PDB file of all heavy atoms in Angstrom:
ATOM      1  N   ASN B 137     120.160 128.921  88.459  1.00 98.00           N
ATOM      2  CA  ASN B 137     119.216 128.004  88.795  1.00 98.00           C
ATOM      3  C   ASN B 137     117.692 128.442  88.554  1.00 98.00           C
ATOM      4  O   ASN B 137     117.265 129.479  89.294  1.00 98.00           O
ATOM      5  CB  ASN B 137     119.357 127.517  90.250  1.00 98.00           C
ATOM      6  CG  ASN B 137     118.211 126.586  90.828  1.00 98.00           C
ATOM      7  OD1 ASN B 137     117.534 126.029  90.043  1.00 98.00           O
ATOM      8  ND2 ASN B 137     118.047 126.527  92.172  1.00 98.00           N
ATOM      9  N   GLN B 138     117.155 127.944  87.577  1.00 98.00           N
ATOM     10  CA  GLN B 138     115.760 128.435  87.174  1.00 98.00           C
ATOM     11  C   GLN B 138     114.561 127.467  87.563  1.00 98.00           C
ATOM     12  O   GLN B 138     113.485 127.541  87.119  1.00 98.00           O
ATOM     13  CB  GLN B 138     115.793 128.718  85.649  1.00 98.00           C
ATOM     14  CG  GLN B 138     116.486 129.963  85.192  1.00 98.00           C
ATOM     15  CD  GLN B 138     115.723 131.195  85.628  1.00 98.00           C
ATOM     16  OE1 GLN B 138     114.451 131.222  85.744  1.00 98.00           O
ATOM     17  NE2 GLN B 138     116.390 132.184  85.897  1.00 98.00           N
ATOM     18  N   SER B 139     114.953 126.513  88.527  1.00 97.00           N
ATOM     19  CA  SER B 139     114.044 125.414  88.911  1.00 97.00           C
ATOM     20  C   SER B 139     112.652 126.038  89.345  1.00 97.00           C
ATOM     21  O   SER B 139     111.609 125.373  88.916  1.00 97.00           O
ATOM     22  CB  SER B 139     114.582 124.671  89.939  1.00 97.00           C
ATOM     23  OG  SER B 139     115.786 124.077  89.589  1.00 97.00           O
ATOM     24  N   HIS B 140     112.690 127.181  89.970  1.00 96.00           N
ATOM     25  CA  HIS B 140     111.518 127.720  90.541  1.00 96.00           C
ATOM     26  C   HIS B 140     110.561 128.412  89.535  1.00 96.00           C
ATOM     27  O   HIS B 140     109.560 128.830  89.708  1.00 96.00           O
ATOM     28  CB  HIS B 140     111.797 128.649  91.702  1.00 96.00           C
ATOM     29  CG  HIS B 140     112.762 129.681  91.387  1.00 96.00           C
ATOM     30  ND1 HIS B 140     114.112 129.340  91.046  1.00 96.00           N
ATOM     31  CD2 HIS B 140     112.764 131.026  91.273  1.00 96.00           C
ATOM     32  CE1 HIS B 140     114.973 130.438  90.706  1.00 96.00           C
ATOM     33  NE2 HIS B 140     114.026 131.454  90.947  1.00 96.00           N
ATOM     34  N   ASN B 141     111.275 128.692  88.242  1.00 98.00           N
ATOM     35  CA  ASN B 141     110.359 129.316  87.210  1.00 98.00           C
ATOM     36  C   ASN B 141     109.854 128.504  86.178  1.00 98.00           C
ATOM     37  O   ASN B 141     109.013 128.995  85.450  1.00 98.00           O
ATOM     38  CB  ASN B 141     111.259 130.433  86.616  1.00 98.00           C
ATOM     39  CG  ASN B 141     111.513 131.552  87.581  1.00 98.00           C
ATOM     40  OD1 ASN B 141     110.865 131.907  88.341  1.00 98.00           O
ATOM     41  ND2 ASN B 141     112.803 132.258  87.396  1.00 98.00           N
ATOM     42  N   TYR B 142     110.335 127.277  86.118  1.00 98.00           N
ATOM     43  CA  TYR B 142     109.853 126.386  85.151  1.00 98.00           C
ATOM     44  C   TYR B 142     109.173 125.162  85.659  1.00 98.00           C
ATOM     45  O   TYR B 142     109.515 124.645  86.600  1.00 98.00           O
ATOM     46  CB  TYR B 142     111.050 125.862  84.248  1.00 98.00           C
ATOM     47  CG  TYR B 142     111.555 126.946  83.373  1.00 98.00           C
ATOM     48  CD1 TYR B 142     112.572 127.801  83.714  1.00 98.00           C
ATOM     49  CD2 TYR B 142     111.010 127.172  82.003  1.00 98.00           C
ATOM     50  CE1 TYR B 142     113.033 128.820  82.848  1.00 98.00           C
ATOM     51  CE2 TYR B 142     111.492 128.170  81.147  1.00 98.00           C
ATOM     52  CZ  TYR B 142     112.507 128.936  81.687  1.00 98.00           C
ATOM     53  OH  TYR B 142     112.948 129.890  80.675  1.00 98.00           O
ATOM     54  N   SER B 143     108.188 124.747  84.745  1.00 98.00           N
ATOM     55  CA  SER B 143     107.554 123.359  84.927  1.00 98.00           C
ATOM     56  C   SER B 143     108.077 122.492  83.864  1.00 98.00           C
ATOM     57  O   SER B 143     108.457 122.893  82.764  1.00 98.00           O
ATOM     58  CB  SER B 143     105.993 123.568  84.784  1.00 98.00           C
ATOM     59  OG  SER B 143     105.494 124.476  85.819  1.00 98.00           O
ATOM     60  N   LEU B 144     108.052 121.211  84.255  1.00 98.00           N
ATOM     61  CA  LEU B 144     108.553 120.247  83.272  1.00 98.00           C
ATOM     62  C   LEU B 144     107.474 119.116  83.251  1.00 98.00           C
ATOM     63  O   LEU B 144     107.097 118.531  84.283  1.00 98.00           O
ATOM     64  CB  LEU B 144     109.842 119.603  83.781  1.00 98.00           C
ATOM     65  CG  LEU B 144     110.551 118.723  82.771  1.00 98.00           C
ATOM     66  CD1 LEU B 144     111.128 119.473  81.568  1.00 98.00           C
ATOM     67  CD2 LEU B 144     111.893 118.102  83.568  1.00 98.00           C
ATOM     68  N   LEU B 145     106.957 118.873  82.035  1.00 98.00           N
ATOM     69  CA  LEU B 145     105.872 117.952  81.722  1.00 98.00           C
ATOM     70  C   LEU B 145     106.507 116.876  80.891  1.00 98.00           C
ATOM     71  O   LEU B 145     107.194 117.111  79.867  1.00 98.00           O
ATOM     72  CB  LEU B 145     104.771 118.568  80.977  1.00 98.00           C
ATOM     73  CG  LEU B 145     103.691 119.210  81.805  1.00 98.00           C
ATOM     74  CD1 LEU B 145     104.197 120.290  82.681  1.00 98.00           C
ATOM     75  CD2 LEU B 145     102.637 119.707  80.950  1.00 98.00           C
ATOM     76  N   ALA B 146     106.306 115.538  81.190  1.00 98.00           N
ATOM     77  CA  ALA B 146     106.755 114.536  80.315  1.00 98.00           C
ATOM     78  C   ALA B 146     105.659 113.772  79.629  1.00 98.00           C
ATOM     79  O   ALA B 146     104.686 113.441  80.377  1.00 98.00           O
ATOM     80  CB  ALA B 146     107.569 113.521  81.129  1.00 98.00           C
ATOM     81  N   VAL B 147     105.677 113.564  78.288  1.00 98.00           N
ATOM     82  CA  VAL B 147     104.656 112.871  77.524  1.00 98.00           C
ATOM     83  C   VAL B 147     105.370 111.642  76.994  1.00 98.00           C
ATOM     84  O   VAL B 147     106.389 111.678  76.244  1.00 98.00           O
ATOM     85  CB  VAL B 147     104.289 113.741  76.358  1.00 98.00           C
ATOM     86  CG1 VAL B 147     103.201 112.889  75.490  1.00 98.00           C
ATOM     87  CG2 VAL B 147     103.629 115.030  76.847  1.00 98.00           C
ATOM     88  N   GLN B 148     105.010 110.374  77.530  1.00 98.00           N
ATOM     89  CA  GLN B 148     105.869 109.176  77.305  1.00 98.00           C
ATOM     90  C   GLN B 148     104.903 108.038  76.838  1.00 98.00           C
ATOM     91  O   GLN B 148     103.863 107.884  77.320  1.00 98.00           O
ATOM     92  CB  GLN B 148     106.590 108.785  78.649  1.00 98.00           C
ATOM     93  CG  GLN B 148     107.468 109.883  79.176  1.00 98.00           C
ATOM     94  CD  GLN B 148     108.834 109.798  78.410  1.00 98.00           C
ATOM     95  OE1 GLN B 148     109.507 108.842  78.444  1.00 98.00           O
ATOM     96  NE2 GLN B 148     109.235 110.926  77.925  1.00 98.00           N
ATOM     97  N   GLY B 149     105.497 107.240  75.884  1.00 98.00           N
ATOM     98  CA  GLY B 149     104.627 106.115  75.376  1.00 98.00           C
ATOM     99  C   GLY B 149     104.789 106.007  73.895  1.00 98.00           C
ATOM    100  O   GLY B 149     105.118 107.117  73.244  1.00 98.00           O
ATOM    101  N   PRO B 150     104.270 104.841  73.411  1.00 98.00           N
ATOM    102  CA  PRO B 150     104.415 104.605  71.929  1.00 98.00           C
ATOM    103  C   PRO B 150     103.547 105.705  71.153  1.00 98.00           C
ATOM    104  O   PRO B 150     103.710 105.849  69.954  1.00 98.00           O
ATOM    105  CB  PRO B 150     103.944 103.220  71.730  1.00 98.00           C
ATOM    106  CG  PRO B 150     103.281 102.830  72.958  1.00 98.00           C
ATOM    107  CD  PRO B 150     103.878 103.628  74.044  1.00 98.00           C
TER     108      PRO B 150
END
Side-chain angles (χ1 to χ4, degrees):
Chain B
N137 176 19
Q138 284 289 329
S139 305
H140 50 298
N141 288 329
Y142 283 92
S143 298
L144 193 63
L145 277 60
V147 180
Q148 302 278 303

